[in-house]
Amino acid sequence: MKVLMFGWEYPPHVFGGLATANFGISQGLHAQGDVETVLCLPHPFGDEDRSACRIVAMNCVPIAWRDVNYDYVKERVGNIMDPDYYYRLRDHIYADFNYMHVNDLGCMEFAGGYPSNLHEEINNYSIIAGVVARTEEFDIIHAHDWLTYPAGINAKHVSGKPLCIHVHATDFDRSRGKVNPTVYAIEKDGMDNADCIMCVSELTRQTVIHQYHQDPRKCFTMHNAVYPLRQELQDIPRPDHTGKEKVVTFLGRITMQKGPEYFVEAANMVLQRTRNVRFCMAGSGDMMDAMIYLAAERGIADRFHFPGFMRGKQVYECLKDSDVYVMPSVSEPFGISPLEAMQCGTPTIISKQSGCAEILDNCIKVDYWDIHALADAIYSICSNESLFTYLKEEGKREVDQITWEKVGARIKNLYERVLAGDI
């Protein structure tokens, strides 16, 4: 089975949780042994792990015919794409796109990540998807999140192949219900055109059914997973904080959806009971300055640390250095970071309003708004060694069974049902 997959980001260039999930799904499908994935990305850098998929650099796909020699093409795109593939793509341009802003190779540039002209890049990406869909031979299309839905739709129209979309989040999650009508329209159009909708949690599935008016029979819950820690990450030591200051960590985007203010308020309550705890708010986002001011207003700035955005090994060093990990998200479609924390042996507290709460047992779950319960949970883990040890050991044991290989098998099964007309 061959899958044409549309993604937006991919490790090691991580801008959000989508990169981690896309990598895990690609690895999980590859583990099935008979699934070949062609992954389209707007701006790959050439250093991506390509063991599980073949990557198509959409910024190197010609949409306007140019007479260029092989050596020049190799010099320009050879580090991220086979020059022969450039010429193969050039033969499948399906319309006159010379009016678009293309470079000397007839290709469109992408900034990578989430630039200010994001909607323009989404539209450009969808145009290029048509060229790729006419060139490649594949059985099914898989599009990740609203950024790639227009590309998936165009590929479906060009090829006649079925479209599966993967809902990692909706604008209802990102905006606390104050949806952007443009984004909502793109999301709904993707869902309306999809033959199968995969949702990262039952929470998200219900949002898709009720807020986007989709047929429940084509909506499926597809929980995320976590991939095994590389040896170098396993070798990161866990400091022993017995009898010392405890470290409690929030790690993620410091934005409304993630509930950072509840973390600060709970921290203030804990620090009224004991000063033997330090709080770390790792990440960046539009609420970072407000959280720094809030910590100062509560008189706990001397117990708070704001190390900024972390990536790669830094994330795991931070998690292993923590005695408690907290994810107080207001609306979290899934949330992979708690699984990563538990994998590191870090006791974890999550909000009941998160998708991962549906599959995790060996962690503490509280309502995001209940700062009293959150403070109690933090204080209990920090002051009770038996509770700390239980959550550390049982949490790790549980999450080690939640693998992308199992997710890949479930996704492949859905592909087969779509192709057989069972959905």
Side-chain angles (χ1 to χ4, degrees):
M1 182 187 298
K2 191 168 181 180
V3 183
L4 179 61
M5 187 174 289
F6 293 100
W8 198 261
E9 54 177 277
Y10 203 72
H13 305 279
V14 178
F15 302 97
L18 194 56
T20 305
N22 202 339
F23 178 75
I25 290 164
S26 300
Q27 292 284 338
L29 288 171
H30 180 68
Q32 304 314 305
D34 58 352
V35 179
E36 180 185 347
T37 303
V38 177
L39 174 62
C40 300
L41 295 171
H43 186 116
F45 293 82
D47 56 350
E48 292 81 10
D49 182 343
R50 301 177 184 228
S51 60
C53 56
R54 176 161 62 84
I55 292 177
V56 174
M58 299 294 265
N59 58 332
C60 299
V61 174
I63 60 169
W65 202 94
R66 293 289 184 268
D67 186 11
V68 284
N69 70 58
Y70 185 90
D71 289 339
Y72 184 67
V73 172
K74 185 176 181 180
E75 178 187 332
R76 288 288 306 279
V77 307
N79 64 318
I80 52 176
M81 196 170 81
D82 181 356
D84 290 327
Y85 188 59
Y86 167 87
Y87 290 104
R88 187 175 155 213
L89 289 161
R90 194 182 64 173
D91 295 336
H92 289 89
I93 296 169
Y94 59 99
D96 183 4
F97 292 114
N98 280 294
Y99 67 92
M100 304 289 288
H101 295 292
V102 296
N103 61 21
D104 57 340
L105 294 178
C107 306
M108 303 206 69
E109 303 287 352
F110 286 88
Y114 302 91
S116 58
N117 66 330
L118 183 59
H119 288 279
E120 181 184 350
E121 296 217 332
I122 290 168
N123 181 63
N124 293 344
Y125 185 81
S126 70
I127 290 170
I128 299 165
V131 176
V132 177
R134 282 170 62 92
T135 306
E136 292 287 343
E137 292 182 3
F138 54 92
D139 302 297
I140 200 162
I141 304 158
H142 190 150
H144 291 282
D145 245 14
W146 69 282
L147 304 145
T148 73
Y149 294 167
I153 293 169
N154 196 20
K156 178 180 180 176
H157 290 164
V158 164
S159 66
K161 302 294 184 180
L163 168 65
C164 294
I165 67 168
H166 211 122
V167 184
H168 297 270
T170 70
D171 209 49
F172 280 88
D173 303 302
R174 292 182 288 265
S175 65
R176 285 196 193 177
K178 298 176 182 176
V179 294
N180 179 321
T182 304
V183 175
Y184 177 87
I186 294 172
E187 289 177 329
K188 189 168 189 319
D189 194 35
M191 296 173 192
D192 290 345
N193 281 276
D195 299 277
C196 169
I197 302 173
M198 301 180 205
C199 308
V200 292
S201 62
E202 181 60 25
L203 187 77
T204 303
R205 180 174 175 268
Q206 291 303 319
T207 300
V208 167
I209 292 168
H210 296 295
Q211 302 293 351
Y212 294 84
H213 315 293
Q214 297 302 307
D215 185 344
R217 291 173 296 183
K218 75 172 186 178
C219 301
F220 299 86
T221 299
M222 189 62 64
H223 291 115
N224 285 329
V226 67
Y227 34 85
L229 289 180
R230 303 190 309 274
Q231 191 60 48
E232 64 169 309
L233 301 178
Q234 292 182 35
D235 293 341
I236 298 171
R238 274 195 69 90
D240 184 3
H241 290 163
T242 306
K244 301 176 184 176
E245 287 184 329
K246 306 299 184 182
V247 178
V248 180
T249 296
F250 169 109
L251 194 153
R253 281 183 292 117
I254 305 176
T255 192
M256 178 176 62
Q257 182 191 348
K258 303 296 182 179
E261 67 271 36
Y262 302 106
F263 180 73
V264 177
E265 296 292 9
N268 182 41
M269 296 181 123
V270 172
L271 290 168
Q272 289 172 13
R273 300 193 210 179
T274 175
R275 301 294 287 185
N276 200 37
V277 183
R278 288 190 178 274
F279 291 85
C280 171
M281 183 169 275
S284 59
D286 59 352
M287 288 181 68
M288 185 170 182
D289 287 349
M291 293 305 99
I292 293 171
Y293 286 123
L294 182 58
E297 286 172 7
R298 296 291 181 266
I300 57 174
D302 62 321
R303 299 277 97 191
F304 246 88
H305 301 268
F306 293 88
F309 183 77
M310 292 184 173
R311 67 172 75 245
K313 189 177 180 182
Q314 292 176 316
V315 170
Y316 294 93
E317 289 172 339
C318 180
L319 292 174
K320 286 204 173 188
D321 198 36
S322 304
D323 298 280
V324 185
Y325 174 76
V326 180
M327 188 183 76
S329 297
V330 175
S331 178
E332 187 71 49
F334 185 77
I336 290 177
S337 57
L339 277 69
E340 294 171 334
M342 292 165 72
Q343 196 177 35
C344 291
T346 303
T348 297
I349 303 168
I350 60 177
S351 75
K352 293 178 181 177
Q353 290 72 27
S354 58
C356 62
E358 297 170 9
I359 62 168
L360 295 176
D361 294 318
N362 293 293
C363 61
I364 296 178
K365 305 171 192 178
V366 299
D367 289 305
Y368 72 87
W369 45 262
D370 194 343
I371 57 174
H372 294 276
L374 179 53
D376 285 343
I378 293 170
Y379 182 79
S380 297
I381 297 172
C382 289
S383 59
N384 186 325
E385 278 300 320
S386 296
L387 179 59
F388 171 86
T389 302
Y390 177 84
L391 291 174
K392 170 187 171 182
E393 294 175 355
E394 294 304 315
K396 186 176 188 311
R397 186 174 291 116
E398 178 181 26
V399 87
D400 283 346
Q401 302 304 311
I402 303 172
T403 67
W404 283 115
E405 187 171 349
K406 293 177 182 176
V407 175
R410 291 196 295 271
I411 291 176
K412 183 192 170 191
N413 177 258
L414 271 184
Y415 287 162
E416 290 171 343
R417 290 181 60 188
V418 171
L419 292 169
D422 291 343
I423 296 173

